[in-house]
Amino acid sequence: MTDAHPACCAPSSGRRGGTRSPEPVPDTGVGAGGTAGMVLLDGGEFLMGSEDDRAYPADGEGPVRRVEVDPFWIGTAAVTNAEFAAFADATGYRTDAERFGWSFVFGGLLPDDFPPTRGVAGAPWWRLVEGASWRHPTGGHSDAERLADHPVVHVSWNDAGAYCAWAGLRLPTEAEWEYAARGGLQGRAFPWGDELEPAGEHRMNVWQGVFPRENTRADGWYGTCPVAEFPPNGYGLYNMTGNVWEWCRDRFDPAYRDRRSARGGSYLCHESYCRRYRVSARQGISPDSSMGNTGFRCVRDA
Ligand SMILES: [Cu+2]
């Protein structure tokens, strides 16, 4: 049933093959394409990718190459539950997770007395939870309303694109995303430099402790954190790494045409099994997959 990538911290659902037709993309919203909450980046040439010790060559992180991006606007933060709720209320849009009736939830976020769930081969910490969706991030007992300023999660690539279209925006290309994440630094692993915890300070929401058994919450968080938590990078952008994976527009790899790219890693990343909390790291996920650690931010042409 699964198409999981055991090495990484987000599964691919393998939902495709069903008979349903895609949810129609809603009409563009009023005030479309506004740049509230966004910053304008100059663009230009930068060094994309990494070949350093922490990179995963099999993910296509390298080689380091010169890439040029045009000027563009980008959200300073990921789209929040409150923002996605406004979209859903205005359009009646139903996400892939809502239509399929389930999504992947990190097992550590479920109550101890939660009914048995199915797992993912090679990544047993992912539980297939009936009723989980952006509205109910850990299943029917949970409510996204109390997480209004947290990133929306359990949204597929399709859902992210529908939100962007409604807002008059679009998903970033991987080049735009990485240019933005680097925040003006060159050849660094993180948005602030090369050290995971400079001077012992936590700069992003990732796992501390022994994955998946114990999270010490040394960074202050177990699951998602608010989108503007932690200091921003040099471009004023929050949580480009850690917290939630962010969908990009691109296909992941010509050999895996059914997968789209996601960037930035999540609250589940830990060096013991997934170092994808770096600006050059990437993974491919099928476009109808959803899970509790993947969201998105929007961009706009300048
Ligand atoms: Cu990871």
Side-chain angles (χ1 to χ4, degrees):
M1 75 106 201
T2 64
D3 177 30
H5 309 262
C8 194
C9 66
S12 210
S13 74
R15 279 170 173 159
R16 63 187 172 282
T19 55
R20 75 199 184 94
S21 55
E23 182 80 356
V25 174
D27 287 342
T28 296
V30 176
T35 54
M38 306 182 95
V39 291
L40 176 61
L41 302 185
D42 293 339
E45 207 174 66
F46 79 108
L47 293 176
M48 184 170 176
S50 174
E51 298 162 26
D52 81 19
D53 291 349
R54 287 175 281 195
Y56 292 106
D59 288 353
E61 282 193 55
V64 176
R65 64 275 186 198
R66 284 189 185 284
V67 172
E68 188 167 355
V69 295
D70 290 332
F72 63 103
W73 294 86
I74 185 166
T76 57
V79 171
T80 64
N81 281 314
E83 290 167 329
F84 200 83
F87 159 63
D89 288 349
T91 62
Y93 182 85
R94 290 171 66 229
T95 60
D96 277 326
E98 290 173 286
R99 301 172 77 209
F100 282 100
W102 62 273
S103 191
F104 284 116
V105 176
F106 176 64
L109 292 169
L110 298 174
D112 289 341
D113 60 352
F114 201 81
T117 51
R118 283 201 290 159
V120 173
W125 51 85
W126 281 111
R127 312 307 304 180
L128 194 162
V129 174
E130 304 283 337
S133 72
W134 75 272
R135 295 179 191 278
H136 306 291
T138 56
H141 63 283
S142 64
D143 192 340
E145 277 181 33
R146 66 183 181 83
L147 301 170
D149 61 350
H150 285 229
V152 65
V153 292
H154 297 296
V155 284
S156 68
W157 184 86
N158 299 325
D159 303 328
Y163 176 96
C164 290
W166 172 76
L169 307 171
R170 62 174 172 81
L171 288 174
T173 65
E174 283 195 75
E176 288 169 335
W177 190 95
E178 186 172 324
Y179 171 87
R182 290 181 177 281
L185 301 179
Q186 185 169 301
R188 304 299 185 191
F190 303 110
W192 55 86
D194 260 335
E195 280 189 68
L196 178 61
E197 294 162 13
E201 188 190 350
H202 293 278
R203 300 292 297 269
M204 62 179 168
N205 177 17
V206 292
W207 191 276
Q208 295 92 40
V210 183
F211 187 89
R213 187 160 47 80
E214 185 207 18
N215 187 337
T216 66
R217 307 182 199 214
D219 60 14
W221 301 93
Y222 188 99
T224 57
C225 70
V227 296
E229 198 70 25
F230 299 99
N233 74 1
Y235 291 156
L237 308 176
Y238 293 91
N239 291 303
M240 293 301 291
T241 53
N243 210 22
V244 294
W245 284 96
E246 298 183 9
W247 288 110
C248 286
R249 194 169 70 173
D250 308 37
R251 292 182 194 276
F252 180 64
D253 186 299
Y256 298 98
R257 293 192 57 78
D258 57 337
R259 294 184 194 163
R260 301 305 193 281
S261 292
R263 292 300 209 98
S266 84
Y267 58 84
L268 296 178
C269 288
H270 185 267
E271 64 178 347
S272 63
Y273 83 110
C274 178
R275 299 183 305 274
R276 293 183 180 82
Y277 46 24
R278 295 165 296 105
V279 291
S280 58
R282 52 199 304 267
Q283 76 161 328
I285 314 173
S286 68
D288 57 4
S289 290
S290 67
M291 58 221 75
N293 69 341
T294 302
F296 65 102
R297 78 178 69 207
C298 306
V299 302
R300 208 200 106 143
D301 294 336

